[in-house]
Amino acid sequence: MNVRVQMEDFDVSREIAAVRAGNPRIGAVASFVGVVRDLNDGSSVAEMTLEHYPGMTEKSIEAIINEARGRWDVMNARVIHRVGTLKPLDQIVLVVVASGHRGDAFAACEFIMDYLKTRAPFWKKEETPNGGRWVDARAADDAAAERWQKNP
């Protein structure tokens, strides 16, 4: 398991290969890449700045991965989340999950991403034509994470 919070971009292919790391028991790898959009809540976005609490953020993400491991057969997982100033088209987050079977890999990947959006201590500020604005939590993100309480 590997968690990184960093300013630098990441290479998706290299990260997936590292998660697989020659393990012949792995039968499925699911991944998600989040990307900065140029439009949010009806306003154009020139850039987004992500902030976090170093140390606390990584521990929070590790706990999310460990919870996924308790629910599904996760052989390996990696989360990379960028911080700092990002522009539209920049990659923000990578979640990679390796498992013996696709169902576990898909479910664990989606679970980790849903919980990252609602439990990990990140703050986002967007620069729009009307100035800077902090991005509030979305009801849709809360609902996505809540469903895992009903369907463990």
Side-chain angles (χ1 to χ4, degrees):
M1 308 299 157
N2 184 284
V3 173
R4 294 196 322 258
V5 177
Q6 62 190 40
M7 294 184 79
E8 304 81 27
D9 198 8
F10 49 84
D11 181 316
V12 175
S13 296
R14 187 178 335 194
E15 299 301 337
I16 289 173
V19 168
R20 292 180 60 198
N23 184 342
R25 293 184 12 224
I26 292 172
V29 177
S31 64
F32 172 85
V33 178
V35 180
V36 178
R37 292 184 304 260
D38 68 348
L39 186 68
N40 189 29
D41 289 336
S43 293
S44 55
V45 176
E47 65 183 29
M48 176 171 57
T49 302
L50 288 102
E51 297 179 0
H52 76 113
Y53 281 128
M56 179 185 196
T57 304
E58 292 85 351
K59 286 181 182 168
S60 174
I61 297 170
E62 287 170 6
I64 292 167
I65 292 172
N66 286 332
E67 189 169 342
R69 291 180 72 199
R71 292 173 179 237
W72 297 280
D73 177 26
V74 174
M75 294 178 178
N76 200 358
R78 178 164 293 186
V79 173
I80 301 172
H81 205 299
R82 295 182 65 197
V83 293
T85 301
L86 302 171
K87 304 244 183 249
L89 302 175
D90 286 348
Q91 299 179 127
I92 304 170
V93 61
L94 172 67
V95 177
V96 181
V97 177
S99 183
H101 302 280
R102 72 179 181 270
D104 286 337
F106 279 132
C109 187
E110 189 172 14
F111 171 88
I112 290 169
M113 192 59 228
D114 286 346
Y115 273 41
L116 275 174
K117 293 286 285 184
T118 58
R119 291 189 178 178
F122 289 100
W123 294 269
K124 299 175 187 176
K125 185 176 184 182
E126 296 175 335
E127 291 300 325
T128 71
N130 297 324
R133 67 177 182 195
W134 290 98
V135 178
D136 293 326
R138 296 177 187 272
D141 292 334
D142 290 334
E146 226 174 82
R147 73 188 164 104
W148 297 108
Q149 300 300 319
K150 299 172 188 166
N151 299 313

